[in-house]
Structures are given as structure tokens and as C-alpha cells.
Amino acid sequence: MTTDMRRTALAMVAKGKGILAADESTGTIEKRFKSINVESTEPNRRAYRDMLFTAKGLEHHVSGVILYDETIRQSSHDGVPFAKLLASKGIIPGIKVDAGAKDLALCPGEKVTEGLDGLAKRCAEYVKLGAKFAKWRAVITIGRDMPTTTCIAGNAHALARYAAICQAAGLVPIVEPEVLMDGDHTIERCEEVTEWTLNAVYQALYINRVTLEETVLKPSMVISGKDCAKQAGVAEVAERTVRILKRCVPAAVAGIAFLSGGQSDETATEHLNAMNKAYAGELPWNLTFSYGRALQHPSLTTWKGAAANVAAAQAALLHRAHMNGLATKGQYKRELERQAA
Ligand code: 13P
């Protein structure tokens, strides 16, 4: 049976398109604004999101946008609520519903994501505000004696409880277990931890009665730790990532949309492209992007808070969305970057 949630989930991962993660919390957007010397005030945050969402033609390569609580209550410069504006362009509005990754008690250095209390009520309100899907990010840290079983199990449980609550409210849950790339660990260690994490997450989703057909997975890629002396190449990242997804993610899942996690803009595009090129027609799900930094970075640094830069910043966003759109079909080439420049 094709339900509304199934239709939404499939539309989120449609070929040629991906998701724009614009759900930075107030603390995170403050950090991003600091890098361009812009004060993080409500009007500035609104103006920045306005620039992103009003980019003409965004819908050609963006299927959905993840909003933050403040953003879903804000409106465009001509007074149209952002969720309504996006929907009118054929872009599906979504909402971050987690309350952030907090210190995990008795497990120094590890985090667990909070936000389950009162979630059903908040989901009902977000549905009224126009959201069709939700996001919850769990964070797994690799380090000495980390991750612990405590961290994996606690985060998997919270993700599954969140997903069940969303589906009960009619929202498609994006299930996001992020294995951080911070650290000097090898790609082999990242692969092992990603496999462990995904297995725990799918077991928890099963126990919590979540309908996998109405979910989208947002995983990190299997990559070398940022400070690892040996950095795996693009083909190796693609091979190891797809191998683990095949092992751990049931075919029933509607689709997979990767986070960028601190990879450079073009590297994130290349990795996605390599997977779609090497494994075309071989996988039960579409592989696409749900990038925050890797989509917004050129746009943010072009914008710099000035109205005069809006058109150029929008062009930078549309270019990255286009490149990543091509990567969902394995049609991206580095030369296309130079042509644009
Ligand atoms: P990045 O692509 O910047 O990792 O952000 C994606 C996201 O939504 C993290 O939760």
C-alpha cells in the first residue's frame, strides 16, 4: 500500500534531487555567521534563509529542506511563511525535532541526543505548520575506548522512539546516526563502527514498530578520520560505504540521503557520485544528499550578510545543488566546477 508518508519519503530521494539541510540550531548558525563576521540576530538569520529558499530554480535539484523551529515560524521578505513558500515551489518542508546531542552520563566524551519528552505534541504542531518530514541526529564519536555499547544502544533507542512518534503524527522520520569523522582513526575503524551503529539502529527501529518504507536513512559515509595520516581515496570510500549499507540497511527503506559531516564541498559531491556511478542499478534504494555545510558553504561565504550579494550567493547555492544533483545519477565531473568558475 502506498501511503502519504511513503510517497513523501520517495519524493525526498527522487533521482537528480536531494535535501538541503538548513536546520542549524541558534548555536550552530551563530558559529557559521561568525566565520563571515555577521551577527546572529533574528533578522539576519531570517534574511539568510530567505536568500537560500528564494533562489530561483532551487526545486530542480532540491527535493526538500530541513528547517529549524525558529525558521518554520518565519516568513520570506514578502511575508509568505517559509514552509508555504517552499511547498509552492514543489519543495517538501521538513523540521529538525531533536534538542541536540548532550553529554552521555557516565560515558566521558560521548553524546546522546535529547528531545523525546513532549515530542508527540511538538510533531502535531509542526504538521499544522506544514512540515511533512522530520529529522533527528544521533552522534557517535570514535576514540580511545569509544564508542561504548552504552552510547550506541542509547542513541539507537532514542532514534527509534523518535521515528515511531513521528510516524504516529504523520511525519516521515529521517533517521540520522552520524559517526563523526573527528579523530585519527583509520577508515577500517570507521567501517566497523558504522556497521555496529546501523545494526543497532535497525534492530531498535524493529522493536519500536517503525515502518521502514516510510523512513529515510541519513548516514555518514565510511571515511578516514580527519586526522588519520592515511586518507582513503574516493573509490575506496564508495566501496566501503556501499558494502556496509548493503549489509545493514533493509531494502524496504525508502532511500538514503548522506550528510556531509565536514567533508569539503567537492569531496562530498565526488563521493556521492562515485557510489552512484559504480553501483548504478545494483542497489534497492536511491543514494542522494542531505547536505548542510557542503551545500551552503559557498553561498554563505558569498553572501556575507549583504543584500547586494544575494544574487551571487544564490547562484553559488544553485551551482552546488546542480553538481550534487548530477552526483545522484553518477554524472558529475570535476571539469564542471571549473566551467562554472
Ligand atoms: P552537514 O552536511 O553539514 O553534516 O549537515 C547535515 C546535517 O543535517 C547534520 O545533522
Side-chain angles (χ1 to χ4, degrees):
M1 192 180 65
T2 306
T3 60
D4 285 349
M5 280 189 280
R6 172 75 174 164
R7 264 188 287 274
T8 298
L10 290 174
M12 287 160 67
V13 297
K15 270 272 166 250
K17 296 187 187 187
I19 298 164
L20 166 62
D23 60 322
E24 296 84 1
S25 63
T26 308
T28 303
I29 199 76
E30 189 174 350
K31 265 196 268 173
R32 306 273 186 269
F33 278 13
K34 235 186 205 130
S35 74
I36 53 164
N37 280 321
V38 170
E39 201 189 336
S40 181
T41 60
E42 190 275 335
N44 284 346
R45 292 191 293 268
R46 197 213 59 76
Y48 176 62
R49 268 68 182 245
D50 189 281
M51 179 277 291
L52 296 175
F53 306 158
T54 59
K56 276 210 178 60
L58 188 65
E59 64 276 14
H60 297 315
H61 304 291
V62 170
S63 57
V65 172
I66 316 175
L67 304 166
Y68 180 59
D69 181 77
E70 176 186 80
T71 324
I72 202 170
R73 301 171 196 280
Q74 288 172 322
S75 296
S76 71
H77 54 270
D78 26 276
V80 185
F82 281 140
K84 204 168 160 191
L85 170 92
L86 291 168
S88 73
K89 296 169 82 150
I91 296 176
I92 309 166
I95 181 80
K96 182 225 292 293
V97 300
D98 68 62
K102 303 288 158 63
D103 289 343
L104 177 59
L106 308 184
C107 295
E110 298 195 295
K111 305 272 181 196
V112 68
T113 304
E114 295 188 349
L116 290 173
D117 288 354
L119 181 56
K121 209 168 141 206
R122 285 193 291 128
C123 283
E125 191 196 1
Y126 290 137
V127 168
K128 283 200 192 117
L129 290 169
K132 301 282 183 212
F133 68 91
K135 169 191 132 170
W136 177 288
R137 171 173 174 258
V139 177
I140 309 296
T141 308
I142 301 181
R144 208 186 150 152
D145 301 324
M146 294 190 292
T148 58
T149 306
T150 319
C151 175
I152 301 259
N155 276 294
H157 172 78
L159 268 171
R161 287 267 295 122
Y162 139 81
I165 292 167
C166 284
Q167 289 187 341
L171 291 171
V172 171
I174 291 185
V175 174
E176 180 179 358
E178 174 172 5
V179 176
L180 293 179
M181 62 189 278
D182 299 337
D184 61 1
H185 54 272
T186 61
I187 191 169
E188 285 83 2
R189 180 72 180 133
C190 177
E191 181 170 342
E192 191 176 81
V193 170
T194 306
E195 183 172 17
W196 180 14
T197 302
L198 289 175
N199 277 319
V201 167
Y202 281 100
Q203 187 183 17
L205 290 169
Y206 173 72
I207 291 169
N208 283 276
R209 308 183 175 199
V210 173
T211 304
L212 296 183
E213 288 82 351
E214 298 167 345
T215 65
V216 170
L217 175 68
K218 176 163 171 167
S220 38
M221 296 178 193
V222 174
I223 48 181
S224 313
K226 214 166 55 190
D227 303 321
C228 179
K230 194 167 156 239
Q231 291 290 313
V234 172
E236 186 177 356
V237 168
E239 186 188 337
R240 288 182 187 270
T241 303
V242 169
R243 174 161 71 209
I244 292 309
L245 293 175
K246 278 183 175 172
R247 276 190 200 161
C248 307
V249 184
V253 168
I256 298 179
F258 292 100
L259 59 95
S260 60
Q263 300 180 51
S264 79
D265 312 338
E266 292 179 18
T267 305
T269 309
E270 278 191 307
H271 284 153
L272 178 64
N273 187 65
M275 288 184 241
N276 279 308
K277 201 166 167 182
Y279 301 93
E282 222 189 275
L283 303 174
W285 349 260
N286 283 348
L287 301 182
T288 185
F289 57 92
S290 176
Y291 293 164
R293 281 162 286 179
L295 262 183
Q296 293 181 50
H297 175 253
S299 186
L300 175 77
T301 50
T302 305
W303 178 63
K304 294 192 202 84
N309 296 335
V310 164
Q314 289 180 328
L317 171 69
L318 293 172
H319 173 69
R320 284 269 42 89
H322 181 207
M323 295 299 104
N324 284 301
L326 290 173
T328 69
K329 302 191 227 167
Q331 293 170 359
Y332 167 78
K333 291 191 184 58
R334 274 261 177 178
E335 298 86 87
L336 296 169
E337 305 280 357
R338 285 199 292 277
Q339 276 169 24

mmCIF file of all heavy atoms in Angstrom, residues 19-24 32 66 96 98 135-139 174 176 178 218 258-263 268 290-296, ligand 1:
data_model
loop_
_atom_site.group_PDB
_atom_site.id
_atom_site.type_symbol
_atom_site.label_atom_id
_atom_site.label_comp_id
_atom_site.label_asym_id
_atom_site.label_seq_id
_atom_site.Cartn_x
_atom_site.Cartn_y
_atom_site.Cartn_z
ATOM 1 N N ILE A 19 18.358 16.751 -0.459
ATOM 2 C CA ILE A 19 17.789 17.582 0.600
ATOM 3 C C ILE A 19 18.793 18.653 1.019
ATOM 4 O O ILE A 19 19.990 18.390 1.144
ATOM 5 C CB ILE A 19 17.402 16.678 1.798
ATOM 6 C CG1 ILE A 19 16.314 15.670 1.350
ATOM 7 C CG2 ILE A 19 16.937 17.498 2.988
ATOM 8 C CD1 ILE A 19 16.121 14.497 2.287
ATOM 9 N N LEU A 20 18.282 19.864 1.217
ATOM 10 C CA LEU A 20 19.088 20.958 1.768
ATOM 11 C C LEU A 20 18.854 20.984 3.275
ATOM 12 O O LEU A 20 17.730 21.221 3.729
ATOM 13 C CB LEU A 20 18.663 22.297 1.133
ATOM 14 C CG LEU A 20 19.164 23.582 1.816
ATOM 15 C CD1 LEU A 20 20.686 23.679 1.803
ATOM 16 C CD2 LEU A 20 18.555 24.821 1.133
ATOM 17 N N ALA A 21 19.900 20.709 4.042
ATOM 18 C CA ALA A 21 19.789 20.779 5.498
ATOM 19 C C ALA A 21 20.082 22.213 5.924
ATOM 20 O O ALA A 21 21.222 22.668 5.877
ATOM 21 C CB ALA A 21 20.770 19.803 6.154
ATOM 22 N N ALA A 22 19.023 22.942 6.273
ATOM 23 C CA ALA A 22 19.165 24.339 6.698
ATOM 24 C C ALA A 22 18.586 24.473 8.100
ATOM 25 O O ALA A 22 17.913 25.445 8.428
ATOM 26 C CB ALA A 22 18.447 25.258 5.719
ATOM 27 N N ASP A 23 18.846 23.457 8.913
ATOM 28 C CA ASP A 23 18.218 23.368 10.238
ATOM 29 C C ASP A 23 19.195 23.660 11.361
ATOM 30 O O ASP A 23 19.038 23.168 12.484
ATOM 31 C CB ASP A 23 17.643 21.957 10.425
ATOM 32 C CG ASP A 23 18.714 20.879 10.329
ATOM 33 O OD1 ASP A 23 19.625 21.034 9.491
ATOM 34 O OD2 ASP A 23 18.651 19.885 11.078
ATOM 35 N N GLU A 24 20.222 24.459 11.072
ATOM 36 C CA GLU A 24 21.195 24.785 12.114
ATOM 37 C C GLU A 24 20.464 25.394 13.312
ATOM 38 O O GLU A 24 19.657 26.306 13.153
ATOM 39 C CB GLU A 24 22.225 25.797 11.594
ATOM 40 C CG GLU A 24 23.106 25.298 10.456
ATOM 41 C CD GLU A 24 22.456 25.433 9.090
ATOM 42 O OE1 GLU A 24 21.323 25.937 9.005
ATOM 43 O OE2 GLU A 24 23.100 25.027 8.102
ATOM 44 N N ARG A 32 28.463 29.613 12.271
ATOM 45 C CA ARG A 32 28.600 29.821 10.817
ATOM 46 C C ARG A 32 28.668 31.323 10.495
ATOM 47 O O ARG A 32 29.448 31.740 9.658
ATOM 48 C CB ARG A 32 27.410 29.209 10.076
ATOM 49 C CG ARG A 32 27.147 27.737 10.389
ATOM 50 C CD ARG A 32 27.937 26.781 9.509
ATOM 51 N NE ARG A 32 27.521 25.403 9.763
ATOM 52 C CZ ARG A 32 28.083 24.595 10.670
ATOM 53 N NH1 ARG A 32 29.108 25.010 11.396
ATOM 54 N NH2 ARG A 32 27.630 23.366 10.840
ATOM 55 N N ILE A 66 15.274 20.971 5.292
ATOM 56 C CA ILE A 66 15.077 20.776 6.731
ATOM 57 C C ILE A 66 15.175 22.137 7.411
ATOM 58 O O ILE A 66 16.167 22.851 7.248
ATOM 59 C CB ILE A 66 16.123 19.827 7.350
ATOM 60 C CG1 ILE A 66 16.352 18.591 6.472
ATOM 61 C CG2 ILE A 66 15.686 19.418 8.763
ATOM 62 C CD1 ILE A 66 17.459 17.670 6.971
ATOM 63 N N LYS A 96 13.714 19.901 11.977
ATOM 64 C CA LYS A 96 14.568 19.230 12.971
ATOM 65 C C LYS A 96 13.801 19.204 14.289
ATOM 66 O O LYS A 96 13.330 20.241 14.759
ATOM 67 C CB LYS A 96 15.855 20.034 13.164
ATOM 68 C CG LYS A 96 16.806 19.371 14.147
ATOM 69 C CD LYS A 96 17.436 20.291 15.174
ATOM 70 C CE LYS A 96 18.403 21.284 14.661
ATOM 71 N NZ LYS A 96 19.616 20.687 14.137
ATOM 72 N N ASP A 98 15.008 17.198 17.114
ATOM 73 C CA ASP A 98 15.801 16.827 18.288
ATOM 74 C C ASP A 98 16.243 18.084 19.031
ATOM 75 O O ASP A 98 16.230 19.182 18.488
ATOM 76 C CB ASP A 98 16.993 15.938 17.897
ATOM 77 C CG ASP A 98 18.045 16.669 17.083
ATOM 78 O OD1 ASP A 98 18.630 17.634 17.595
ATOM 79 O OD2 ASP A 98 18.294 16.267 15.926
ATOM 80 N N LYS A 135 13.611 15.362 11.306
ATOM 81 C CA LYS A 135 14.991 14.876 11.408
ATOM 82 C C LYS A 135 15.432 14.806 12.862
ATOM 83 O O LYS A 135 15.067 15.656 13.676
ATOM 84 C CB LYS A 135 15.920 15.812 10.646
ATOM 85 C CG LYS A 135 17.395 15.531 10.929
ATOM 86 C CD LYS A 135 18.310 16.601 10.408
ATOM 87 C CE LYS A 135 19.288 16.994 11.496
ATOM 88 N NZ LYS A 135 20.372 17.857 11.005
ATOM 89 N N TRP A 136 16.204 13.801 13.169
ATOM 90 C CA TRP A 136 16.805 13.618 14.498
ATOM 91 C C TRP A 136 18.211 13.101 14.270
ATOM 92 O O TRP A 136 18.400 12.095 13.604
ATOM 93 C CB TRP A 136 15.985 12.602 15.289
ATOM 94 C CG TRP A 136 16.484 12.223 16.652
ATOM 95 C CD1 TRP A 136 17.569 11.465 16.962
ATOM 96 C CD2 TRP A 136 15.857 12.545 17.909
ATOM 97 N NE1 TRP A 136 17.669 11.291 18.314
ATOM 98 C CE2 TRP A 136 16.632 11.946 18.922
ATOM 99 C CE3 TRP A 136 14.719 13.274 18.273
ATOM 100 C CZ2 TRP A 136 16.307 12.048 20.274
ATOM 101 C CZ3 TRP A 136 14.396 13.374 19.613
ATOM 102 C CH2 TRP A 136 15.181 12.767 20.611
ATOM 103 N N ARG A 137 19.202 13.812 14.812
ATOM 104 C CA ARG A 137 20.600 13.422 14.597
ATOM 105 C C ARG A 137 21.194 12.821 15.861
ATOM 106 O O ARG A 137 21.152 13.444 16.919
ATOM 107 C CB ARG A 137 21.396 14.660 14.184
ATOM 108 C CG ARG A 137 22.896 14.483 14.126
ATOM 109 C CD ARG A 137 23.512 15.748 13.546
ATOM 110 N NE ARG A 137 24.957 15.742 13.560
ATOM 111 C CZ ARG A 137 25.698 16.408 14.453
ATOM 112 N NH1 ARG A 137 25.125 17.089 15.414
ATOM 113 N NH2 ARG A 137 27.015 16.373 14.363
ATOM 114 N N ALA A 138 21.732 11.631 15.720
ATOM 115 C CA ALA A 138 22.481 10.999 16.806
ATOM 116 C C ALA A 138 23.961 11.086 16.443
ATOM 117 O O ALA A 138 24.320 11.022 15.272
ATOM 118 C CB ALA A 138 22.071 9.543 16.954
ATOM 119 N N VAL A 139 24.803 11.250 17.442
ATOM 120 C CA VAL A 139 26.232 11.433 17.196
ATOM 121 C C VAL A 139 27.029 10.321 17.862
ATOM 122 O O VAL A 139 26.910 10.097 19.066
ATOM 123 C CB VAL A 139 26.688 12.796 17.779
ATOM 124 C CG1 VAL A 139 28.177 12.979 17.607
ATOM 125 C CG2 VAL A 139 25.946 13.930 17.098
ATOM 126 N N ILE A 174 13.499 11.203 9.197
ATOM 127 C CA ILE A 174 14.866 10.992 8.707
ATOM 128 C C ILE A 174 15.635 10.452 9.902
ATOM 129 O O ILE A 174 15.691 11.092 10.957
ATOM 130 C CB ILE A 174 15.535 12.299 8.238
ATOM 131 C CG1 ILE A 174 14.875 12.828 6.967
ATOM 132 C CG2 ILE A 174 17.023 12.077 7.990
ATOM 133 C CD1 ILE A 174 15.580 14.067 6.380
ATOM 134 N N GLU A 176 19.022 9.691 11.455
ATOM 135 C CA GLU A 176 20.392 10.148 11.206
ATOM 136 C C GLU A 176 21.368 9.724 12.296
ATOM 137 O O GLU A 176 21.525 10.420 13.305
ATOM 138 C CB GLU A 176 20.417 11.685 11.061
ATOM 139 C CG GLU A 176 21.825 12.207 10.790
ATOM 140 C CD GLU A 176 21.892 13.731 10.615
ATOM 141 O OE1 GLU A 176 20.846 14.394 10.668
ATOM 142 O OE2 GLU A 176 23.007 14.225 10.429
ATOM 143 N N GLU A 178 25.012 9.718 12.961
ATOM 144 C CA GLU A 178 26.269 10.235 12.391
ATOM 145 C C GLU A 178 27.468 9.704 13.152
ATOM 146 O O GLU A 178 27.635 9.990 14.337
ATOM 147 C CB GLU A 178 26.290 11.772 12.407
ATOM 148 C CG GLU A 178 27.653 12.320 11.944
ATOM 149 C CD GLU A 178 27.701 13.836 11.755
ATOM 150 O OE1 GLU A 178 26.713 14.517 12.073
ATOM 151 O OE2 GLU A 178 28.754 14.314 11.283
ATOM 152 N N LYS A 218 19.744 8.773 6.970
ATOM 153 C CA LYS A 218 20.760 9.811 6.700
ATOM 154 C C LYS A 218 22.048 9.409 7.401
ATOM 155 O O LYS A 218 22.287 9.761 8.561
ATOM 156 C CB LYS A 218 20.260 11.169 7.192
ATOM 157 C CG LYS A 218 21.272 12.294 7.053
ATOM 158 C CD LYS A 218 20.610 13.654 7.160
ATOM 159 C CE LYS A 218 21.637 14.756 7.236
ATOM 160 N NZ LYS A 218 21.040 16.088 7.040
ATOM 161 N N PHE A 258 22.839 11.061 2.344
ATOM 162 C CA PHE A 258 24.022 11.239 3.189
ATOM 163 C C PHE A 258 24.132 12.643 3.770
ATOM 164 O O PHE A 258 23.737 13.620 3.138
ATOM 165 C CB PHE A 258 25.299 10.987 2.376
ATOM 166 C CG PHE A 258 25.471 9.565 1.948
ATOM 167 C CD1 PHE A 258 25.143 9.176 0.660
ATOM 168 C CD2 PHE A 258 25.971 8.622 2.827
ATOM 169 C CE1 PHE A 258 25.306 7.854 0.254
ATOM 170 C CE2 PHE A 258 26.133 7.299 2.436
ATOM 171 C CZ PHE A 258 25.795 6.912 1.145
ATOM 172 N N LEU A 259 24.748 12.734 4.945
ATOM 173 C CA LEU A 259 25.173 14.028 5.486
ATOM 174 C C LEU A 259 26.591 14.283 4.974
ATOM 175 O O LEU A 259 27.275 13.351 4.533
ATOM 176 C CB LEU A 259 25.142 13.991 7.011
ATOM 177 C CG LEU A 259 26.010 12.944 7.714
ATOM 178 C CD1 LEU A 259 27.351 13.510 8.130
ATOM 179 C CD2 LEU A 259 25.295 12.369 8.904
ATOM 180 N N SER A 260 27.052 15.537 5.021
ATOM 181 C CA SER A 260 28.412 15.804 4.539
ATOM 182 C C SER A 260 29.434 15.766 5.673
ATOM 183 O O SER A 260 30.597 15.434 5.429
ATOM 184 C CB SER A 260 28.484 17.119 3.759
ATOM 185 O OG SER A 260 28.109 18.225 4.551
ATOM 186 N N GLY A 261 29.031 16.128 6.876
ATOM 187 C CA GLY A 261 29.843 15.861 8.069
ATOM 188 C C GLY A 261 31.182 16.569 8.181
ATOM 189 O O GLY A 261 32.020 16.144 8.969
ATOM 190 N N GLY A 262 31.410 17.599 7.382
ATOM 191 C CA GLY A 262 32.690 18.291 7.456
ATOM 192 C C GLY A 262 33.603 17.983 6.276
ATOM 193 O O GLY A 262 34.722 18.490 6.204
ATOM 194 N N GLN A 263 33.146 17.170 5.329
ATOM 195 C CA GLN A 263 33.908 16.962 4.099
ATOM 196 C C GLN A 263 33.883 18.269 3.304
ATOM 197 O O GLN A 263 32.939 19.047 3.404
ATOM 198 C CB GLN A 263 33.253 15.893 3.219
ATOM 199 C CG GLN A 263 33.120 14.526 3.852
ATOM 200 C CD GLN A 263 32.441 13.542 2.882
ATOM 201 O OE1 GLN A 263 32.827 13.404 1.736
ATOM 202 N NE2 GLN A 263 31.401 12.873 3.361
ATOM 203 N N ALA A 268 32.539 15.890 -1.001
ATOM 204 C CA ALA A 268 31.229 15.302 -0.686
ATOM 205 C C ALA A 268 30.485 14.957 -1.975
ATOM 206 O O ALA A 268 29.817 13.923 -2.073
ATOM 207 C CB ALA A 268 30.415 16.275 0.171
ATOM 208 N N SER A 290 21.873 14.925 1.738
ATOM 209 C CA SER A 290 21.117 15.789 2.647
ATOM 210 C C SER A 290 22.170 16.644 3.325
ATOM 211 O O SER A 290 22.459 16.500 4.505
ATOM 212 C CB SER A 290 20.334 14.954 3.665
ATOM 213 O OG SER A 290 19.695 15.817 4.590
ATOM 214 N N TYR A 291 22.804 17.487 2.522
ATOM 215 C CA TYR A 291 23.974 18.222 2.979
ATOM 216 C C TYR A 291 23.595 19.561 3.609
ATOM 217 O O TYR A 291 22.696 20.248 3.143
ATOM 218 C CB TYR A 291 24.935 18.495 1.819
ATOM 219 C CG TYR A 291 25.597 17.272 1.216
ATOM 220 C CD1 TYR A 291 26.209 17.344 -0.031
ATOM 221 C CD2 TYR A 291 25.636 16.044 1.895
ATOM 222 C CE1 TYR A 291 26.838 16.238 -0.603
ATOM 223 C CE2 TYR A 291 26.258 14.933 1.330
ATOM 224 C CZ TYR A 291 26.857 15.034 0.079
ATOM 225 O OH TYR A 291 27.477 13.953 -0.475
ATOM 226 N N GLY A 292 24.340 19.897 4.662
ATOM 227 C CA GLY A 292 24.229 21.213 5.265
ATOM 228 C C GLY A 292 25.398 22.044 4.780
ATOM 229 O O GLY A 292 25.307 22.802 3.809
ATOM 230 N N ARG A 293 26.554 21.841 5.441
ATOM 231 C CA ARG A 293 27.740 22.629 5.109
ATOM 232 C C ARG A 293 28.146 22.509 3.640
ATOM 233 O O ARG A 293 28.440 23.497 2.986
ATOM 234 C CB ARG A 293 28.905 22.197 6.009
ATOM 235 C CG ARG A 293 28.818 22.785 7.393
ATOM 236 C CD ARG A 293 29.676 22.042 8.385
ATOM 237 N NE ARG A 293 29.106 20.744 8.745
ATOM 238 C CZ ARG A 293 29.674 19.875 9.584
ATOM 239 N NH1 ARG A 293 30.838 20.174 10.123
ATOM 240 N NH2 ARG A 293 29.082 18.744 9.881
ATOM 241 N N ALA A 294 28.174 21.274 3.098
ATOM 242 C CA ALA A 294 28.687 21.079 1.735
ATOM 243 C C ALA A 294 27.783 21.690 0.664
ATOM 244 O O ALA A 294 28.198 21.849 -0.479
ATOM 245 C CB ALA A 294 28.899 19.590 1.463
ATOM 246 N N LEU A 295 26.555 22.054 1.023
ATOM 247 C CA LEU A 295 25.679 22.745 0.062
ATOM 248 C C LEU A 295 25.717 24.243 0.286
ATOM 249 O O LEU A 295 25.665 25.032 -0.648
ATOM 250 C CB LEU A 295 24.231 22.283 0.248
ATOM 251 C CG LEU A 295 23.647 21.214 -0.667
ATOM 252 C CD1 LEU A 295 22.178 21.002 -0.303
ATOM 253 C CD2 LEU A 295 23.763 21.578 -2.135
ATOM 254 N N GLN A 296 25.777 24.639 1.564
ATOM 255 C CA GLN A 296 25.637 26.064 1.888
ATOM 256 C C GLN A 296 26.939 26.844 1.902
ATOM 257 O O GLN A 296 26.920 28.063 1.779
ATOM 258 C CB GLN A 296 25.009 26.223 3.281
ATOM 259 C CG GLN A 296 23.588 25.764 3.389
ATOM 260 C CD GLN A 296 23.087 25.988 4.806
ATOM 261 O OE1 GLN A 296 23.225 27.068 5.358
ATOM 262 N NE2 GLN A 296 22.516 24.960 5.409
HETATM 263 P P1 13P B 1 26.296 18.509 7.276
HETATM 264 O O1 13P B 1 26.055 18.080 5.850
HETATM 265 O O2 13P B 1 26.908 19.857 7.397
HETATM 266 O O3 13P B 1 26.991 17.446 8.064
HETATM 267 O O4 13P B 1 24.882 18.719 7.922
HETATM 268 C C1 13P B 1 23.906 17.795 7.700
HETATM 269 C C2 13P B 1 23.033 17.721 8.873
HETATM 270 O O5 13P B 1 21.858 17.941 8.769
HETATM 271 C C3 13P B 1 23.637 17.347 10.149
HETATM 272 O O6 13P B 1 22.651 16.988 11.042
#
